[in-house]
Amino acid sequence: MKINTPPIPLEDLSSVSPMGEIAGFPVRPGFFDINGAMDLGIGVNFTIHTCYGTRCELLLFHTIEDEPYAVLPFPESYRIGDVYSMIVFGLNIKNFEYAYRIDGPYLPKQGLVFDKNAILLDPYARAVTGQKYWGIKKERAYHARVVKDSFDWGAMPQSKRELSDLVIYELHVRGFTCHPSSGVRHKGTFAGLMEKISYLKELGINAVELMPVFEFDEMMNSREVDGQLLLDYWGYNTVGFFAPNTSYSSSAERNMEGNELKELIKALHDNGIEVILDVVFNHTAEGNEKGPTFCFKGLDNKVYYMLTPDGNYYNFSGCGNTLNCNHPVVHQLILECLRYWTISYRVDGFRFDLASILGRNEDGSPLNNPPLLRSLASDPILANVKLIAEAWDAGGMYQVGRFPAAKRWAEWNGRYRDAVRGFLKGDNWEAWNAAWSISGSGDLYGGFDPDYAGDYAGYNSCINFLTCHDGFTLYDLYSYNEKHNEANGWNNTDGTDDNRSWNCGIEGDTDNPDVLFLRYRMMRNACAVLMCSRGTPMFLAGDEFCNTQYGNNNSYCQDNEISWLDWSLLEKNRDFFDFFQFMIAFRMAHPVIRKRLPDAVCGMAPLHTHNINAAETAIPRDARTFSVCFAGYDTDKGRDDLVYVSVNTYWKDVHIILPSLNTTGNWYLAVNTFGDGHGQYFYPAGKEIRIDGEFVMRPRSVAVFTVR
């Protein structure tokens, strides 16, 4: 539709004047290509779109009021295509909140469920109101605030680290510092996390992966079980994709929302730590047919969600609805969202929850070359951003090792978790899978081929993990045979039963010294193997000091001591923390673990698996003991870098023979998870123990050797 005004120059608004008046406010058509609400100084530009809606109203609210003080219907002349845009003059962004109402047909079997009375949140809202105080039930509809972005990032360069050079530390912003033992001033907030940066540096990690920080309502589906209030603690039900979770801020930010998160990210960057956000584009908090209508359902239900032929919701997410990611409108929203977080928050990467959904067509069928994934992989703004897929969904699509656009995307390596967990606890039939996984899962990601994917070789496609938020902690992995989710209120039926865990003889807490000695050894084994595996290691916050969730492997609703990190365990388990810290530093000191280097001068192959006798490079299918050798030339240090990792899951001693070095040096023991009997489990550089060709692997232990 033709608008009888010339285009408005955004760079010069001094001459812009109103063209009419609505509800007592001077107005004019706005910027149709700028989604959301934007402060112009002279007023505010509001832009929103609906494909099937027939009428749109802008609602203005005084702060914390339920009824709008002004309703501004968009004239038809303020609409181009499906987009409504209007500048409202004289508005001070500090004095109001806003929302929309959209009218249209109500034909549920055709997927149209418009309600002219429903108050709708702007899908591009940069700040959502009414969410400030954690654990207080929201009594009114979602409103948005207009945000003024004045944060100065200075000349901070974007990180160019390869993914394989990262050690990723997954954490929950609230749970990380909420426990009374955390010792921080601003518990459970971005500011509280910032107080722990010195600890993160001490540990040695160089990337944090934050569980969802987009706006969510923790009171959604809240319930009481045995006197305990259960919440949507994890935050995987997104309310607003462009807005940081307000209750994670330590103080009211008003129209500067996001500044505390930006200060956190800048401080992390200043300390050499990258920030990866766990993002949820597979579903929203609106749920199924019985769920609330606060945004997408009321804007364009048929556009934003995958619907069955009779108008119901496909549920490939397991959460009631599935976002229609490859519809062009939703595709655009996701791309704009990721660009926004990359530009305005300087985020270094994104981990996509249930990412296989992003590759489904509008009818739910898998796409061979999904437009969204292709677009994200080739977008120039996202060019240096890490893209990490959880390459499966709740609808049964499992794409580990074959996620679309794999030469750009990395994946959570679920096979690594399963195979290595199983082998370490004694499932010897997992020997081959475990050996391949430690070697870099080359059969999945092509990491053995030096020509694979150019600069983005297989080791940059593989995220290795044994623990994450979804499952047992490392301590619980060797303290429980079975999950113990009774506190969740579902009679222990929720959470996975495939844990591949081992309680080492006694279920749960014990004072038995033999069981405890074995448990700590098994944890050291897991840490050593993870840090000596080709690919990018990731582990769950608190694993480094044996944090426990008391056997709960699905703590999504537990905003209490079950999920919070108990920092008193850091001192109790200081020896284990020291081991974890050493293994991270060891990995950083040996680039040959992280990636293929130029060929070693000594002539050893870049990568080999070995039987008990290193002369046998083939391992039996049911081996209980095997080794992996990484070899290459470290150009920075001007010498060969050789690392030999031996894993013994047998309950008896095993004699191994190390590779012959001829005259190129000697093997030295750097790590022995069984220990020397005096509490020594690792040896710093220069203090390693020389090994003359043979070594006795103690029961259920890992040993790591280097050459000098």
Side-chain angles (χ1 to χ4, degrees), residues 622-693:
D622 59 350
R624 291 193 175 99
T625 308
F626 66 72
S627 301
V628 176
C629 184
F630 303 103
Y633 184 76
D634 185 346
T635 55
D636 291 336
K637 296 179 180 177
R639 64 172 185 262
D640 281 351
D641 187 13
L642 307 179
V643 174
Y644 196 76
V645 184
S646 298
V647 184
N648 178 30
T649 63
Y650 196 30
W651 52 88
K652 296 181 180 180
D653 289 351
V654 173
H655 290 255
I656 66 170
I657 300 175
L658 278 69
S660 174
L661 292 173
N662 298 320
T663 60
T664 59
N666 297 289
W667 287 110
Y668 285 81
L669 178 68
V671 177
N672 179 8
T673 63
F674 193 91
D676 65 351
H678 304 286
Q680 189 74 35
Y681 302 104
F682 60 88
Y683 303 91
K687 297 183 178 181
E688 304 95 336
I689 306 298
R690 179 169 169 169
I691 304 297
D692 292 322

Side-chain angles (χ1 to χ4, degrees), residues 21-300:
E21 184 179 290
I22 301 176
F25 290 88
V27 297
R28 70 172 294 150
F31 298 98
F32 289 84
D33 57 348
I34 300 176
N35 288 310
M38 181 175 64
D39 183 21
L40 302 177
I42 60 171
V44 177
N45 183 83
F46 298 93
T47 301
I48 193 166
H49 51 75
T50 173
C51 177
Y52 296 100
T54 57
R55 188 170 182 268
C56 181
E57 294 176 332
L58 171 67
L59 312 180
L60 302 179
F61 299 84
H62 291 304
T63 303
I64 318 180
E65 289 193 0
D66 296 334
E67 296 298 322
Y69 70 84
V71 177
L72 288 75
F74 283 81
E76 273 301 303
S77 57
Y78 286 38
R79 176 175 183 170
I80 296 179
D82 295 333
V83 182
Y84 294 92
S85 189
M86 175 166 55
I87 297 174
V88 182
F89 291 82
L91 288 178
N92 185 328
I93 64 172
K94 296 179 180 180
N95 297 333
F96 75 92
E97 301 168 359
Y98 75 97
Y100 294 98
R101 284 197 297 239
I102 294 180
D103 198 2
Y106 184 78
L107 300 168
K109 291 188 178 300
Q110 298 180 31
L112 304 175
V113 291
F114 289 98
D115 178 356
K116 65 181 180 180
N117 297 313
I119 296 176
L120 304 177
L121 180 68
D122 182 357
Y124 286 84
R126 268 50 170 177
V128 179
T129 69
Q131 297 288 105
K132 171 58 188 165
Y133 300 104
W134 179 274
I136 297 178
K137 193 169 184 64
K138 179 180 65 66
E139 299 295 343
R140 61 191 181 92
Y142 293 111
H143 301 163
R145 270 198 293 267
V146 183
V147 170
K148 190 174 183 64
D149 186 0
S150 59
F151 192 84
D152 184 4
W153 292 96
M156 183 185 66
Q158 190 177 30
S159 173
K160 296 294 181 64
R161 281 198 194 104
E162 289 190 26
L163 189 59
S164 60
D165 288 331
L166 299 184
V167 174
I168 301 174
Y169 187 74
E170 187 196 33
L171 66 88
H172 186 280
V173 170
R174 178 171 170 82
F176 193 61
T177 62
C178 209
H179 196 278
S181 63
S182 67
V184 303
R185 180 183 176 189
H186 302 291
K187 291 179 173 59
T189 65
F190 296 128
L193 175 53
M194 190 152 50
E195 294 178 63
K196 288 289 189 182
I197 290 178
S198 60
Y199 169 79
L200 299 178
K201 288 193 69 178
E202 179 189 8
L203 177 59
I205 59 94
N206 57 8
V208 292
E209 182 174 304
L210 305 182
M211 290 174 66
V213 298
F214 292 0
E215 191 66 79
F216 66 91
D217 182 2
E218 71 281 355
M219 299 304 293
M220 186 170 294
N221 302 317
S222 62
R223 53 202 166 89
E224 189 171 301
V225 174
D226 296 331
Q228 179 74 52
L229 181 63
L230 304 185
L231 309 178
D232 180 18
Y233 168 75
W234 279 354
Y236 282 93
N237 284 308
T238 308
V239 168
F241 291 105
F242 290 78
N245 190 35
T246 317
S247 62
Y248 283 173
S249 295
S250 62
S251 59
E253 296 184 305
R254 296 301 301 160
N255 300 92
M256 307 296 286
E257 265 81 7
N259 272 13
E260 188 170 307
L261 176 55
K262 291 173 183 176
E263 289 166 1
L264 168 63
I265 293 173
K266 187 175 189 304
L268 287 166
H269 285 173
D270 289 343
N271 285 276
I273 300 173
E274 296 191 15
V275 178
I276 299 168
L277 298 187
D278 191 344
V279 294
V280 188
F281 292 113
N282 57 76
H283 74 284
T284 77
E286 288 187 306
N288 60 16
E289 295 84 355
K290 298 179 181 179
T293 295
F294 61 79
C295 184
F296 303 102
K297 286 182 181 178
L299 282 170
D300 263 322

Side-chain angles (χ1 to χ4, degrees), residues 545-594:
F545 54 74
C546 310
N547 193 62
T548 178
Q549 293 178 173
Y550 309 99
N552 193 316
N553 74 352
N554 189 34
S555 62
Y556 74 100
C557 56
Q558 299 293 336
D559 178 37
N560 50 54
E561 286 81 358
I562 289 177
S563 293
W564 300 344
L565 266 64
D566 181 355
W567 289 88
S568 69
L569 295 172
L570 176 58
E571 289 309 312
K572 177 183 176 181
N573 298 307
R574 175 61 68 168
D575 288 348
F576 187 74
F577 172 86
D578 292 343
F579 181 84
F580 223 109
Q581 181 187 50
F582 174 82
M583 289 309 310
I584 294 173
F586 183 86
R587 179 182 179 84
M588 296 298 189
H590 291 278
V592 75
I593 300 174
R594 307 194 301 272

Side-chain angles (χ1 to χ4, degrees), residues 414 417-419 421-422 425 427 430 470-472 477 481-483 494-501 553:
R417 174 199 58 203
D418 296 342
R421 273 191 183 189
K425 80 179 184 69
D427 296 343
E430 290 281 15
D470 193 1
F472 280 147
L477 192 61
N481 281 349
E482 309 292 339
K483 66 187 181 184
D494 63 305
T496 183
D497 292 313
D498 183 15
N499 296 294
R500 308 191 186 202
S501 60
N553 74 352

Side-chain angles (χ1 to χ4, degrees), residues 158 331-332 334-340 342-343 350 371-385 387 408-409:
Q158 190 177 30
H331 178 154
Q332 179 187 7
I334 294 172
L335 178 58
E336 287 194 46
C337 177
L338 297 175
R339 281 174 154 242
Y340 173 70
T342 301
I343 295 170
F350 302 94
L372 175 61
L373 300 184
R374 188 172 67 248
S375 177
L376 300 185
S378 60
D379 185 77
I381 290 291
L382 305 180
N384 294 322
V385 167
L387 302 177
R408 174 65 175 88
W409 286 72

